[in-house]
Amino acid sequence: SQTIHQWPATLVQPVGSPLSLECTVEGTSNPNLYWYRQAAGRGLQLLFYSVGIGQISSEVPQNLSASRPQDRQFILSSKKLLLSDSGFYLCAWTQYGRGRTNEKLFFGSGTQLSVL
Amino acid sequence: GIQVEQSPPDLILQEGANSTLRCNFSDSVNNLQWFHQNPWGQLINLFYIPSGTKQNGRLSATTVATERYSLLYISSSQTTDSGVYFCAAADTGANSKLTFGKGITLSVRP
């Protein structure tokens, strides 16, 4: 069966520090991968998605970037965190890649990021 | 892009009661999903239901695509049903992505 791992679960970082959140999927190949952010008490905002290695699309221009160095690995990064980067970050995947989007979306357990 | 609206925003139930959660969307869809976020933040996919009706235990969902709405039914609610329920929809565009509603916060009291 397929599983998704996301870490760390919680992270407290000072303003201006770098960020690296990692997500890996097991049990499937060529998944579509996604990074979402959920601000406190609000819905989910799509930040980045990827249909393959090295292929990243950004939905919202901001202080963050994403990379996909391997088929089942997705990384969210920042060079210098801002206070406004605080939130709950969720990695997600759909079962088929190659641009197909009509599949069930499965989420990782999330990372609660506090920028102080 | 597509607009997704959920109602009511908040719902309080007594354990054992039934409820209906509504999701309206502004365009034709080829992807509609319901999720439950538990109090620890974990999001669970409940249904993939761009049209028709599905049932899973005490939960069922119906999407009437021609009228642009979906309903999630919870029967015999339990305290573990508490959390936030999200509806997400994607229009029929070639590269459309899911747009999430703001969620419905459900509290089931013992």
Side-chain angles (χ1 to χ4, degrees):
Chain A
S1 64
Q2 301 89 359
T3 57
I4 179 170
H5 302 281
Q6 186 180 344
W7 66 93
T10 60
L11 190 60
V12 180
Q13 292 284 96
V15 170
S17 64
L19 173 73
S20 181
L21 301 180
E22 189 166 343
C23 168
T24 59
V25 180
E26 296 180 356
T28 187
S29 59
N30 299 318
N32 281 350
L33 296 173
Y34 307 81
W35 279 110
Y36 285 85
R37 178 169 62 196
Q38 185 177 29
R42 301 180 66 179
L44 282 79
Q45 179 187 39
L46 178 62
L47 302 176
F48 300 95
Y49 70 93
S50 171
V51 300
I53 296 173
Q55 301 179 63
I56 309 296
S57 296
S58 174
E59 291 292 301
V60 182
Q62 56 202 316
N63 187 42
L64 302 169
S65 62
S67 62
R68 184 170 177 174
Q70 300 181 41
D71 181 46
R72 290 169 288 178
Q73 183 184 30
F74 206 22
I75 298 172
L76 182 69
S77 304
S78 174
K79 292 182 179 179
K80 290 186 178 181
L81 284 168
L82 306 172
L83 288 173
S84 57
D85 291 325
S86 293
F88 190 52
Y89 288 83
L90 291 143
C91 181
W93 70 280
T94 49
Q95 189 164 5
Y96 296 107
R98 306 189 189 283
R100 290 178 57 182
T101 58
N102 296 347
E103 305 294 344
K104 289 185 76 171
L105 185 66
F106 297 97
F107 284 92
S109 54
T111 296
Q112 184 64 55
L113 172 65
S114 299
V115 183
L116 305 176
Chain B
I2 191 170
Q3 305 297 313
V4 180
E5 296 184 356
Q6 296 184 245
S7 61
D10 301 281
L11 191 57
I12 300 175
L13 297 177
Q14 202 66 34
E15 196 169 27
N18 303 328
S19 64
T20 300
L21 286 62
R22 187 177 181 99
C23 172
N24 292 332
F25 41 91
S26 60
D27 294 303
S28 298
V29 299
N30 60 5
N31 189 343
L32 188 133
Q33 302 186 36
W34 283 95
F35 300 85
H36 174 224
Q37 186 171 36
N38 66 24
W40 297 272
Q42 178 69 55
L43 273 154
I44 304 298
N45 192 305
L46 299 176
F47 294 102
Y48 171 77
I49 187 165
S51 63
T53 298
K54 291 185 178 180
Q55 182 160 3
N56 184 3
R58 296 180 296 103
L59 302 181
S60 64
T62 295
T63 297
V64 184
T66 54
E67 297 187 21
R68 299 183 180 174
Y69 72 88
S70 182
L71 302 174
L72 178 69
Y73 304 97
I74 304 175
S75 63
S76 304
S77 59
Q78 301 176 359
T79 55
T80 52
D81 295 330
S82 297
V84 183
Y85 289 81
F86 289 101
C87 167
D91 62 34
T92 55
N95 295 308
S96 62
K97 302 298 177 288
L98 285 172
T99 296
F100 281 76
K102 293 183 178 181
I104 296 171
T105 301
L106 173 65
S107 297
V108 180
R109 296 180 173 173

PDB file of all heavy atoms in Angstrom, chain B residues 9-30:
ATOM      1  N   PRO B   9     -20.946  27.086   8.161  1.00  0.00           N
ATOM      2  CA  PRO B   9     -19.540  27.172   8.578  1.00  0.00           C
ATOM      3  C   PRO B   9     -19.247  26.399   9.854  1.00  0.00           C
ATOM      4  O   PRO B   9     -18.138  25.882  10.018  1.00  0.00           O
ATOM      5  CB  PRO B   9     -19.291  28.672   8.759  1.00  0.00           C
ATOM      6  CG  PRO B   9     -20.634  29.266   8.906  1.00  0.00           C
ATOM      7  CD  PRO B   9     -21.586  28.409   8.145  1.00  0.00           C
ATOM      8  N   ASP B  10     -20.229  26.334  10.739  1.00  0.00           N
ATOM      9  CA  ASP B  10     -20.060  25.621  12.003  1.00  0.00           C
ATOM     10  C   ASP B  10     -21.308  24.802  12.282  1.00  0.00           C
ATOM     11  O   ASP B  10     -22.419  25.221  11.943  1.00  0.00           O
ATOM     12  CB  ASP B  10     -19.827  26.604  13.159  1.00  0.00           C
ATOM     13  CG  ASP B  10     -18.613  27.473  12.936  1.00  0.00           C
ATOM     14  OD1 ASP B  10     -17.502  26.985  13.163  1.00  0.00           O
ATOM     15  OD2 ASP B  10     -18.783  28.634  12.519  1.00  0.00           O
ATOM     16  N   LEU B  11     -21.110  23.671  12.938  1.00  0.00           N
ATOM     17  CA  LEU B  11     -22.229  22.770  13.224  1.00  0.00           C
ATOM     18  C   LEU B  11     -21.946  22.063  14.542  1.00  0.00           C
ATOM     19  O   LEU B  11     -20.847  21.527  14.737  1.00  0.00           O
ATOM     20  CB  LEU B  11     -22.368  21.762  12.086  1.00  0.00           C
ATOM     21  CG  LEU B  11     -23.596  20.875  12.017  1.00  0.00           C
ATOM     22  CD1 LEU B  11     -24.858  21.706  11.973  1.00  0.00           C
ATOM     23  CD2 LEU B  11     -23.509  19.982  10.784  1.00  0.00           C
ATOM     24  N   ILE B  12     -22.939  22.093  15.423  1.00  0.00           N
ATOM     25  CA  ILE B  12     -22.824  21.388  16.702  1.00  0.00           C
ATOM     26  C   ILE B  12     -23.918  20.343  16.770  1.00  0.00           C
ATOM     27  O   ILE B  12     -25.097  20.653  16.562  1.00  0.00           O
ATOM     28  CB  ILE B  12     -22.943  22.368  17.894  1.00  0.00           C
ATOM     29  CG1 ILE B  12     -21.825  23.415  17.827  1.00  0.00           C
ATOM     30  CG2 ILE B  12     -22.874  21.611  19.217  1.00  0.00           C
ATOM     31  CD1 ILE B  12     -21.939  24.496  18.885  1.00  0.00           C
ATOM     32  N   LEU B  13     -23.537  19.116  17.057  1.00  0.00           N
ATOM     33  CA  LEU B  13     -24.477  18.013  17.107  1.00  0.00           C
ATOM     34  C   LEU B  13     -24.368  17.272  18.436  1.00  0.00           C
ATOM     35  O   LEU B  13     -23.300  17.229  19.053  1.00  0.00           O
ATOM     36  CB  LEU B  13     -24.184  17.008  15.990  1.00  0.00           C
ATOM     37  CG  LEU B  13     -24.298  17.441  14.553  1.00  0.00           C
ATOM     38  CD1 LEU B  13     -23.887  16.293  13.639  1.00  0.00           C
ATOM     39  CD2 LEU B  13     -25.705  17.887  14.227  1.00  0.00           C
ATOM     40  N   GLN B  14     -25.471  16.670  18.808  1.00  0.00           N
ATOM     41  CA  GLN B  14     -25.450  15.731  19.918  1.00  0.00           C
ATOM     42  C   GLN B  14     -25.112  14.359  19.346  1.00  0.00           C
ATOM     43  O   GLN B  14     -25.555  13.998  18.233  1.00  0.00           O
ATOM     44  CB  GLN B  14     -26.819  15.699  20.590  1.00  0.00           C
ATOM     45  CG  GLN B  14     -26.805  15.208  22.018  1.00  0.00           C
ATOM     46  CD  GLN B  14     -26.057  16.137  22.955  1.00  0.00           C
ATOM     47  OE1 GLN B  14     -26.060  17.355  22.789  1.00  0.00           O
ATOM     48  NE2 GLN B  14     -25.399  15.539  23.942  1.00  0.00           N
ATOM     49  N   GLU B  15     -24.331  13.608  20.072  1.00  0.00           N
ATOM     50  CA  GLU B  15     -23.959  12.266  19.608  1.00  0.00           C
ATOM     51  C   GLU B  15     -25.204  11.473  19.229  1.00  0.00           C
ATOM     52  O   GLU B  15     -26.206  11.488  19.965  1.00  0.00           O
ATOM     53  CB  GLU B  15     -23.181  11.545  20.713  1.00  0.00           C
ATOM     54  CG  GLU B  15     -22.419  10.325  20.256  1.00  0.00           C
ATOM     55  CD  GLU B  15     -21.474   9.814  21.330  1.00  0.00           C
ATOM     56  OE1 GLU B  15     -21.748  10.038  22.526  1.00  0.00           O
ATOM     57  OE2 GLU B  15     -20.449   9.204  20.969  1.00  0.00           O
ATOM     58  N   GLY B  16     -25.131  10.806  18.076  1.00  0.00           N
ATOM     59  CA  GLY B  16     -26.271  10.032  17.612  1.00  0.00           C
ATOM     60  C   GLY B  16     -27.120  10.753  16.575  1.00  0.00           C
ATOM     61  O   GLY B  16     -27.918  10.126  15.878  1.00  0.00           O
ATOM     62  N   ALA B  17     -26.948  12.060  16.441  1.00  0.00           N
ATOM     63  CA  ALA B  17     -27.745  12.827  15.485  1.00  0.00           C
ATOM     64  C   ALA B  17     -27.182  12.668  14.079  1.00  0.00           C
ATOM     65  O   ALA B  17     -26.039  12.251  13.888  1.00  0.00           O
ATOM     66  CB  ALA B  17     -27.760  14.304  15.880  1.00  0.00           C
ATOM     67  N   ASN B  18     -28.028  13.010  13.094  1.00  0.00           N
ATOM     68  CA  ASN B  18     -27.623  12.996  11.684  1.00  0.00           C
ATOM     69  C   ASN B  18     -27.361  14.425  11.214  1.00  0.00           C
ATOM     70  O   ASN B  18     -27.901  15.381  11.786  1.00  0.00           O
ATOM     71  CB  ASN B  18     -28.722  12.367  10.816  1.00  0.00           C
ATOM     72  CG  ASN B  18     -29.070  10.965  11.264  1.00  0.00           C
ATOM     73  OD1 ASN B  18     -28.233  10.224  11.767  1.00  0.00           O
ATOM     74  ND2 ASN B  18     -30.345  10.613  11.104  1.00  0.00           N
ATOM     75  N   SER B  19     -26.563  14.574  10.162  1.00  0.00           N
ATOM     76  CA  SER B  19     -26.295  15.912   9.645  1.00  0.00           C
ATOM     77  C   SER B  19     -26.016  15.864   8.148  1.00  0.00           C
ATOM     78  O   SER B  19     -25.653  14.821   7.600  1.00  0.00           O
ATOM     79  CB  SER B  19     -25.102  16.546  10.360  1.00  0.00           C
ATOM     80  OG  SER B  19     -23.923  15.811  10.105  1.00  0.00           O
ATOM     81  N   THR B  20     -26.206  17.016   7.519  1.00  0.00           N
ATOM     82  CA  THR B  20     -25.919  17.175   6.096  1.00  0.00           C
ATOM     83  C   THR B  20     -25.036  18.390   5.905  1.00  0.00           C
ATOM     84  O   THR B  20     -25.377  19.484   6.363  1.00  0.00           O
ATOM     85  CB  THR B  20     -27.223  17.357   5.294  1.00  0.00           C
ATOM     86  OG1 THR B  20     -28.052  16.213   5.486  1.00  0.00           O
ATOM     87  CG2 THR B  20     -26.902  17.515   3.813  1.00  0.00           C
ATOM     88  N   LEU B  21     -23.911  18.200   5.245  1.00  0.00           N
ATOM     89  CA  LEU B  21     -22.981  19.276   4.949  1.00  0.00           C
ATOM     90  C   LEU B  21     -23.038  19.546   3.448  1.00  0.00           C
ATOM     91  O   LEU B  21     -23.054  18.607   2.643  1.00  0.00           O
ATOM     92  CB  LEU B  21     -21.558  18.884   5.349  1.00  0.00           C
ATOM     93  CG  LEU B  21     -21.199  18.862   6.845  1.00  0.00           C
ATOM     94  CD1 LEU B  21     -22.025  17.838   7.623  1.00  0.00           C
ATOM     95  CD2 LEU B  21     -19.717  18.579   7.021  1.00  0.00           C
ATOM     96  N   ARG B  22     -23.049  20.823   3.094  1.00  0.00           N
ATOM     97  CA  ARG B  22     -23.257  21.192   1.701  1.00  0.00           C
ATOM     98  C   ARG B  22     -22.019  21.865   1.116  1.00  0.00           C
ATOM     99  O   ARG B  22     -21.316  22.626   1.783  1.00  0.00           O
ATOM    100  CB  ARG B  22     -24.456  22.130   1.562  1.00  0.00           C
ATOM    101  CG  ARG B  22     -24.837  22.420   0.112  1.00  0.00           C
ATOM    102  CD  ARG B  22     -26.072  23.288   0.014  1.00  0.00           C
ATOM    103  NE  ARG B  22     -26.430  23.534  -1.371  1.00  0.00           N
ATOM    104  CZ  ARG B  22     -27.381  22.855  -2.032  1.00  0.00           C
ATOM    105  NH1 ARG B  22     -28.066  21.921  -1.421  1.00  0.00           N
ATOM    106  NH2 ARG B  22     -27.633  23.132  -3.291  1.00  0.00           N
ATOM    107  N   CYS B  23     -21.812  21.600  -0.185  1.00  0.00           N
ATOM    108  CA  CYS B  23     -20.717  22.203  -0.943  1.00  0.00           C
ATOM    109  C   CYS B  23     -21.288  22.680  -2.268  1.00  0.00           C
ATOM    110  O   CYS B  23     -21.809  21.870  -3.038  1.00  0.00           O
ATOM    111  CB  CYS B  23     -19.613  21.175  -1.161  1.00  0.00           C
ATOM    112  SG  CYS B  23     -18.272  21.682  -2.265  1.00  0.00           S
ATOM    113  N   ASN B  24     -21.205  23.965  -2.540  1.00  0.00           N
ATOM    114  CA  ASN B  24     -21.617  24.528  -3.831  1.00  0.00           C
ATOM    115  C   ASN B  24     -20.376  24.932  -4.614  1.00  0.00           C
ATOM    116  O   ASN B  24     -19.415  25.455  -4.037  1.00  0.00           O
ATOM    117  CB  ASN B  24     -22.498  25.765  -3.617  1.00  0.00           C
ATOM    118  CG  ASN B  24     -23.840  25.431  -3.010  1.00  0.00           C
ATOM    119  OD1 ASN B  24     -24.370  24.347  -3.192  1.00  0.00           O
ATOM    120  ND2 ASN B  24     -24.396  26.369  -2.262  1.00  0.00           N
ATOM    121  N   PHE B  25     -20.413  24.715  -5.916  1.00  0.00           N
ATOM    122  CA  PHE B  25     -19.279  25.094  -6.754  1.00  0.00           C
ATOM    123  C   PHE B  25     -19.781  25.836  -7.984  1.00  0.00           C
ATOM    124  O   PHE B  25     -20.920  25.629  -8.430  1.00  0.00           O
ATOM    125  CB  PHE B  25     -18.405  23.900  -7.135  1.00  0.00           C
ATOM    126  CG  PHE B  25     -19.160  22.653  -7.484  1.00  0.00           C
ATOM    127  CD1 PHE B  25     -19.525  22.389  -8.802  1.00  0.00           C
ATOM    128  CD2 PHE B  25     -19.501  21.730  -6.503  1.00  0.00           C
ATOM    129  CE1 PHE B  25     -20.213  21.232  -9.125  1.00  0.00           C
ATOM    130  CE2 PHE B  25     -20.182  20.575  -6.819  1.00  0.00           C
ATOM    131  CZ  PHE B  25     -20.552  20.321  -8.134  1.00  0.00           C
ATOM    132  N   SER B  26     -18.933  26.694  -8.528  1.00  0.00           N
ATOM    133  CA  SER B  26     -19.392  27.678  -9.510  1.00  0.00           C
ATOM    134  C   SER B  26     -19.281  27.232 -10.966  1.00  0.00           C
ATOM    135  O   SER B  26     -19.836  27.887 -11.849  1.00  0.00           O
ATOM    136  CB  SER B  26     -18.596  28.976  -9.334  1.00  0.00           C
ATOM    137  OG  SER B  26     -17.206  28.725  -9.538  1.00  0.00           O
ATOM    138  N   ASP B  27     -18.560  26.133 -11.248  1.00  0.00           N
ATOM    139  CA  ASP B  27     -18.354  25.698 -12.623  1.00  0.00           C
ATOM    140  C   ASP B  27     -18.547  24.184 -12.737  1.00  0.00           C
ATOM    141  O   ASP B  27     -18.621  23.478 -11.726  1.00  0.00           O
ATOM    142  CB  ASP B  27     -16.931  26.055 -13.103  1.00  0.00           C
ATOM    143  CG  ASP B  27     -16.723  27.543 -13.197  1.00  0.00           C
ATOM    144  OD1 ASP B  27     -17.494  28.195 -13.921  1.00  0.00           O
ATOM    145  OD2 ASP B  27     -15.795  28.044 -12.535  1.00  0.00           O
ATOM    146  N   SER B  28     -18.586  23.718 -13.956  1.00  0.00           N
ATOM    147  CA  SER B  28     -18.620  22.272 -14.185  1.00  0.00           C
ATOM    148  C   SER B  28     -17.333  21.656 -13.663  1.00  0.00           C
ATOM    149  O   SER B  28     -16.254  22.229 -13.814  1.00  0.00           O
ATOM    150  CB  SER B  28     -18.760  21.979 -15.683  1.00  0.00           C
ATOM    151  OG  SER B  28     -19.972  22.516 -16.176  1.00  0.00           O
ATOM    152  N   VAL B  29     -17.462  20.485 -13.045  1.00  0.00           N
ATOM    153  CA  VAL B  29     -16.294  19.853 -12.424  1.00  0.00           C
ATOM    154  C   VAL B  29     -16.069  18.456 -12.978  1.00  0.00           C
ATOM    155  O   VAL B  29     -17.003  17.777 -13.405  1.00  0.00           O
ATOM    156  CB  VAL B  29     -16.444  19.783 -10.885  1.00  0.00           C
ATOM    157  CG1 VAL B  29     -16.560  21.178 -10.287  1.00  0.00           C
ATOM    158  CG2 VAL B  29     -17.608  18.893 -10.479  1.00  0.00           C
ATOM    159  N   ASN B  30     -14.802  18.035 -12.980  1.00  0.00           N
ATOM    160  CA  ASN B  30     -14.491  16.635 -13.248  1.00  0.00           C
ATOM    161  C   ASN B  30     -13.756  16.013 -12.072  1.00  0.00           C
ATOM    162  O   ASN B  30     -13.250  14.898 -12.175  1.00  0.00           O
ATOM    163  CB  ASN B  30     -13.674  16.480 -14.542  1.00  0.00           C
ATOM    164  CG  ASN B  30     -12.352  17.216 -14.478  1.00  0.00           C
ATOM    165  OD1 ASN B  30     -11.977  17.770 -13.454  1.00  0.00           O
ATOM    166  ND2 ASN B  30     -11.621  17.218 -15.577  1.00  0.00           N
TER     167      ASN B  30
END
